[in-house]
Amino acid sequence: MTTNDNILFEPAARLWADVILPLALPQTYTYAIPEHLAHKIYPGCRAEAELKNKKYAGVVKAIVDKDPGYPTKPIHNILDDEPIVYPQQLQLWQWMAQYYMCSEGEVMAAALPAHFKLSSETVLLYNEEAGDDFAHLNDEEFLVAEALLIKKELRLSEVQQILDVNHVYPVIKKLIEKNVCIVWENLAEKYKAKKENFVVLLPAYRNDDALSQLLNDWKGAPKQMELLLAYLYLEKQQGDVLQTELLKKSGATAAQLKGLADKQIVRIEKRSVDRIKAIPGYMDVDVEFSEAQQQASDAVAASFEQKNVCLLHGVTGSGKTQVYIKLMERYFKEGKQVLYLLPEIALTAQIIRRLQKYFGGNIAIYHSKFNDNERIELWNKIRTGEVKMVLGARSALFLPFKNLGLIIVDEEHDASFKQQEPAPRYHARDAAIYYASLFNAKVLLGSATPSVESYFNAKQNKYALVELQERYGGLLLPAIDIINVRQVAQQGKVMISPQLQEAVQTALDADKQVILFQNRRGYNPYLICGTCGFIPQCEHCAVSLTLHKYSNKLHCHYCASQYPKLVTCPACGSNNWLEKNFGTEKIEEHLDEVFPKHKIARMDVDSVRGKKAHDTLIQQFEQHRFDILVGTQMVVKGLDFDKVSLVGVLDADGLLSFADFRVNERAFQLMEQVSGRAGRKKEQGKVLIQATNVKHPVLQWVQQHDYSSLYTNEIISRKEFFYPPFSRIVVLTLKHKDKTIVNNAADKLTALLKQDLKDYIVGPAAPVISRIRNQYLMEIMIKLPKERGMDMTYKRIIRNHINLMTGEKPYKSVHVIADVDPI
């Protein structure tokens, strides 16, 4: 008899398991538990289960003793000795699937590291009865049969290598028909522990006298003596000695080391090692608070006595991170785990260095740039409680915490916390609040420019609210000037006005650094023929192409297609191309011309690729190896540079021209956040914003750092037009390669939805980008009232009507995506 999580297993009782498979299935599947596995299976373990003749590693959601009432397939095997996820993770997956209108399988696929998500690998087994006469086979079949005769089994990947083609199924099918082989489906475990060779001194020489005698009476090769001395030095310095380090230190070869081993002086042994290099764990939190910080810290701690969620609204440079650090220390000392969420991987690199100064190796970092093996190792350390604090981007929310006490969501307003593709399209801030509730943990939301929804919740007393309205060290917020670029006599769009150029030069002369913000990457956002007005567009998407200088090609930013740069216009034959607007590449080129003696860096998706690219660029800018940093919104988010005295916003009009109800909120957040990078140490910074519509109210609010006025204005307009936080929005996007079919499907689905939700439907309408990757799009917006207990009911109604529409023959191939709380 075995117990786990209050589940009792009796060997004689029949049991079934509800298993989540990593597929977009509408429900979990129930499998029979064979008697010999009944003592091994627990919720949260992976189980080998079959669906449509293919094996998957699913996660056991629940074990039940009630017969489902229909024939069930058996579970083939249990893949884990203990659960890899806890009940709280399974509850989170279920909530996400229900709230964000997707399947638990899709949540599982997003949550687990790839190497946990096994699917079957086809293995060919040699049929001994076939003999070795392959005269009746063609050339390709003969090659595979010969290999099978020798190896007795081949994996699908090996067959592909033998034939040097990917499509091998016709050959395999013929071999099966001719009884040369049979097929077996095998689940392959992809994770392998990393092994390293360590050098160990044998016990006979651990005694000082024996070791001295060995060295004094040495008659071997001098190089082996050097090896031994290098080993003794490294062992004293660091304990365990890696073979690679020893050979590097001594300048010896592997053969010479083998000679020492053959003499029974040392031995070489393989050990499993961590892929993520560990640093010693320590605790040294010597944060000195200002009076305002101390009051805010005390207020946050007091608020957690009454509420589970607190919003810390602190201006840029107010020292919110120090408040977080002090709070993290408290929960760590209580033995609790802490999750610190950031919106961008770019931010994690700088913040982890700051946190490691206080916590050393007690804090780990987790994000999507880690490879799959690294993720599994960190996953297991968090699951066992070995790692107590984690810093990460939104995917860190899925980690299997055992004793979670605190979640910090820094820059909580940031749109990067919302997953766009694929499902689940969750918002990490909102999911974090639910996840924390499962542990009775606390959540601290922090921002200089909170989202309207979060600030509304705080004002409605749903969250606690703590304000930190002065910069650390008594520094003033940056002075902001608006430059009217209409007054600049220049043809086309102004890139850098004379006022901004002069301010940049002044900052550089004072040995300061400059950040310039333009939220468009590439060289030219679009080209236009000056003769006929033709604009190059993507063949697969309804969008103009962007010229990139580094590739000298036209790029589509939606499907990643690339096209040669056009010399002549395909419409009229002219070569009179006009370059409209400007991206970060063009700004970088222009700055190189204007400031040739200074070093320019660019931070955008194109320039920072790879696991360490963000961190390298940020460190170089911190070390003043670059004077000017040009970037997209990557440079906006919470980065802290001591020597930045000037920030320039090059195109405020572009931020204010989107057709979205959040446009004012977003523009304010971006401009206020980027301005906050200026003057963070010792002296007041300066911000210059270039615009044509200089009377726009958002620009006035940014200039005055007036979040309150923005919030008041937004709340009035959103209440009038029934937008969040007064409603909950669900956007349904319909996709199909045929424009007529998708239009008709949208009309049909709208008619069905209006039967139950007539007053809440907006549309259908084509989105701004109406075709992506050869799929035509139509959107239906549903503004649902926030009625207690009705949220899941409304979503069930929507799901039922989608199923009714896609169940009709003309619309079976229409793909419908539900996006809850879209950003």
Side-chain angles (χ1 to χ4, degrees), residues 119-182:
S119 60
S120 56
E121 182 177 14
T122 301
V123 178
L124 302 185
L125 299 179
Y126 177 64
N127 183 3
E128 297 290 349
E129 296 178 2
D132 56 3
D133 182 6
F134 301 139
H136 60 298
L137 304 181
N138 66 29
D139 291 346
E140 288 184 329
E141 294 164 3
F142 180 84
L143 285 172
V144 178
E146 279 281 289
L148 271 171
L149 180 64
I150 297 166
K151 292 191 68 176
K152 303 305 178 189
E153 67 176 55
L154 290 173
R155 284 173 170 74
L156 189 61
S157 55
E158 292 174 314
V159 177
Q160 290 170 332
Q161 288 178 345
I162 291 167
L163 299 180
D164 199 24
V165 292
N166 287 327
H167 193 57
V168 295
Y169 291 103
V171 177
I172 293 172
K173 184 171 180 286
K174 289 291 185 184
L175 289 172
I176 294 168
E177 289 172 355
K178 295 174 182 179
N179 293 318
V180 175
C181 66
I182 56 175

Side-chain angles (χ1 to χ4, degrees), residues 65-108:
D65 57 8
K66 184 180 178 182
D67 192 325
Y70 52 82
T72 53
K73 291 183 178 181
I75 284 174
H76 293 301
N77 197 11
I78 305 301
L79 303 175
D80 304 297
D81 295 329
E82 56 186 6
I84 62 166
V85 294
Y86 292 116
Q88 291 91 339
Q89 280 81 54
L90 295 174
Q91 286 177 264
L92 176 67
W93 295 3
Q94 181 175 327
W95 176 84
M96 271 194 178
Q98 292 173 346
Y99 186 85
Y100 291 105
M101 298 181 67
C102 61
S103 68
E104 287 181 73
E106 288 172 306
V107 180
M108 173 191 164

Side-chain angles (χ1 to χ4, degrees), residues 765-807:
V768 176
I769 310 298
S770 60
R771 183 170 62 98
I772 297 176
R773 296 184 179 91
N774 292 321
Q775 297 277 311
Y776 289 93
L777 312 179
M778 288 293 287
E779 287 183 348
I780 303 167
M781 180 187 286
I782 308 169
K783 296 182 184 177
L784 297 172
K786 287 189 169 182
E787 298 177 27
R788 185 177 293 275
M790 287 297 292
D791 186 64
M792 294 305 177
T793 302
Y794 285 133
K795 288 170 183 173
R796 199 158 41 245
I797 290 169
I798 294 167
R799 176 59 63 198
N800 289 340
H801 286 313
I802 291 172
N803 291 339
L804 282 172
M805 185 273 291
T806 54

Side-chain angles (χ1 to χ4, degrees), residues 437-723:
S437 72
L438 301 177
F439 295 87
N440 197 27
K442 306 299 180 183
V443 179
L444 180 59
L445 310 177
S447 177
T449 54
S451 66
V452 169
E453 289 89 338
S454 292
Y455 203 72
F456 178 80
N457 284 333
K459 287 292 188 181
Q460 294 296 307
N461 209 31
K462 184 177 179 181
Y463 303 162
L465 175 63
V466 175
E467 307 267 7
L468 184 53
Q469 295 296 350
E470 65 178 55
R471 277 192 152 187
Y472 184 73
L475 287 174
L476 295 173
L477 286 164
I480 299 178
D481 292 331
I482 312 294
I483 299 172
N484 188 346
V485 291
R486 284 185 190 275
Q487 298 172 353
V488 180
Q490 185 173 332
Q491 185 180 3
K493 193 123 181 167
V494 176
M495 194 182 315
I496 296 179
S497 61
Q499 299 99 309
L500 179 56
Q501 184 171 323
E502 182 182 343
V504 171
Q505 187 64 63
T506 302
L508 296 176
D509 290 343
D511 197 31
K512 298 293 184 181
Q513 291 175 291
V514 177
I515 291 177
L516 298 178
F517 168 58
Q518 166 68 337
N519 211 24
R520 288 179 183 270
R521 61 190 177 98
Y523 190 78
N524 285 112
Y526 67 95
L527 302 175
I528 183 169
C529 175
T531 304
C532 72
F534 172 82
I535 298 175
Q537 291 213 329
C538 178
E539 295 174 3
H540 313 293
C541 310
V543 66
S544 59
L545 296 170
T546 299
L547 176 63
H548 282 250
K549 187 185 176 188
Y550 79 91
S551 64
N552 199 32
K553 290 183 178 180
L554 297 169
H555 290 231
C556 175
H557 287 173
Y558 286 83
C559 70
S561 296
Q562 296 183 21
Y563 303 85
K565 183 180 177 182
L566 295 175
V567 178
T568 58
C569 174
C572 70
S574 166
N575 59 3
N576 179 27
W577 290 106
L578 302 178
E579 297 178 347
K580 291 294 182 178
N581 216 320
F582 50 89
T584 49
E585 281 188 342
K586 191 169 186 178
I587 298 163
E588 182 184 27
E589 179 185 84
H590 179 72
L591 291 169
D592 278 329
E593 294 171 359
V594 176
F595 305 105
K597 296 181 180 178
H598 295 277
K599 292 187 177 179
I600 321 294
R602 174 166 55 90
M603 181 185 281
D604 55 30
V605 172
D606 303 307
S607 65
V608 284
R609 300 177 184 274
K611 181 160 52 173
K612 295 184 179 178
H614 288 100
D615 192 22
T616 301
L617 181 55
I618 289 166
Q619 286 194 62
Q620 288 174 339
F621 195 64
E622 282 178 330
Q623 295 160 5
H624 206 158
R625 290 161 68 179
F626 294 104
D627 303 302
I628 303 174
L629 179 63
V630 183
T632 57
Q633 55 186 305
M634 283 184 178
V635 303
V636 173
K637 304 175 181 182
L639 295 171
D640 191 356
F641 302 114
D642 291 357
K643 299 196 72 174
V644 172
S645 65
L646 175 67
V647 166
V649 178
L650 303 187
D651 183 19
D653 301 306
L655 303 175
L656 292 162
S657 59
F658 289 101
D660 187 275
F661 74 91
R662 286 194 176 92
V663 62
N664 287 348
E665 178 188 7
R666 290 268 174 71
F668 179 90
Q669 288 166 342
L670 282 169
M671 286 188 278
E672 181 67 15
Q673 288 285 343
V674 76
S675 71
R677 302 315 107 206
R680 295 177 73 92
K681 296 287 188 298
K682 297 182 181 178
E683 59 188 52
Q684 185 182 22
K686 185 174 183 180
V687 180
L688 297 180
I689 299 175
Q690 297 184 162
T692 55
N693 184 12
V694 294
K695 299 295 185 184
H696 198 292
V698 169
L699 294 178
Q700 313 308 313
W701 297 330
V702 170
Q703 193 169 21
Q704 297 153 21
H705 304 286
D706 188 359
Y707 175 82
S708 179
S709 293
L710 168 87
Y711 172 76
T712 302
N713 182 80
E714 285 296 296
I715 282 295
I716 291 169
S717 62
R718 293 191 190 188
K719 187 172 185 180
E720 181 181 355
F721 295 105
F722 197 49
Y723 278 113

